[in-house]
């Protein structure tokens, strides 16, 4: 059974930073065959891709809206996925969820097999 659990959300002022974490069950990282990604969903909007990272961490991809501000990384020894989010804007307010799938990173949420419960990030202006 694959399980993902996010943490680190909260309230931050515009221009501030947050670092989220996604703790994953060992099977994902030990198999070294799962790409991971962060998605977010704001009220009244569809879930959108934020950032993704390949199985061994060598390749990353970002939504245009977060390029240069967010950095995704993974620590396979700790079974943990991170996004470091800097220069936050009110439009970054959303529930952030981590997800994983076999193979490479894709932007479509439907392609991901396992999801965490999400953590709320609120950026005040």
């Amino acid at each position: 059974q694959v399980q993902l659990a996010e943490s680190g959300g909260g309230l931050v002022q515009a221009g501030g930073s947050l670092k989220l974490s996604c703790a994953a069950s060992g099977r994902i990282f030990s198999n070294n065959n799962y790409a991971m990604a962060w998605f977010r969903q704001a009220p009244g909007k569809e879930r959108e891709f934020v950032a993704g990272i390949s199985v061994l961490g060598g390749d990353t991809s970002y939504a245009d809206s977060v390029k240069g501000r967010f950095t995704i990384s993974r620590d396979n020894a700790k079974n943990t996925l991170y996004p470091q989010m800097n220069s936050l804007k009110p439009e970054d307010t959303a529930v952030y969820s981590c997800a994983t799938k076999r193979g490479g990173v894709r932007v479509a949420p439907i392609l991901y097999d396992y999801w965490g419960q999400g953590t709320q990030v609120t950026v005040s202006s």
Side-chain angles (χ1 to χ4, degrees):
Q1 182 70 21
V2 174
Q3 292 184 333
L4 303 174
E6 304 92 339
S7 61
L11 175 64
V12 63
Q13 288 188 333
S17 298
L18 274 177
K19 187 173 184 179
L20 305 182
S21 297
C22 172
S25 62
R27 186 162 71 92
I28 295 174
F29 284 81
S30 62
N31 281 352
N32 278 342
N33 194 32
Y34 286 83
M36 300 197 73
W38 286 95
F39 290 81
R40 67 186 182 187
Q41 187 167 21
K45 295 187 177 181
E46 293 187 353
R47 180 177 282 170
E48 65 173 353
F49 174 84
V50 175
I53 190 165
S54 62
V55 170
L56 296 179
D59 294 322
T60 57
S61 57
Y62 297 91
D64 288 343
S65 59
V66 306
K67 278 182 182 176
R69 301 188 297 121
F70 290 15
T71 302
I72 188 171
S73 61
R74 63 191 290 169
D75 186 335
N76 287 349
K78 295 182 178 180
N79 294 350
T80 305
L81 175 73
Y82 307 99
Q84 175 67 49
M85 306 186 297
N86 299 325
S87 302
L88 284 162
K89 305 175 181 180
E91 50 263 45
D92 293 319
T93 295
V95 175
Y96 285 72
S97 301
C98 61
T100 187
K101 63 178 290 294
R102 289 183 180 273
V105 174
R106 297 291 184 271
V107 300
I110 197 172
L111 297 176
Y112 286 76
D113 302 311
Y114 303 101
W115 292 82
Q117 80 287 353
T119 185
Q120 177 70 45
V121 172
T122 302
V123 184
S124 63
S125 56

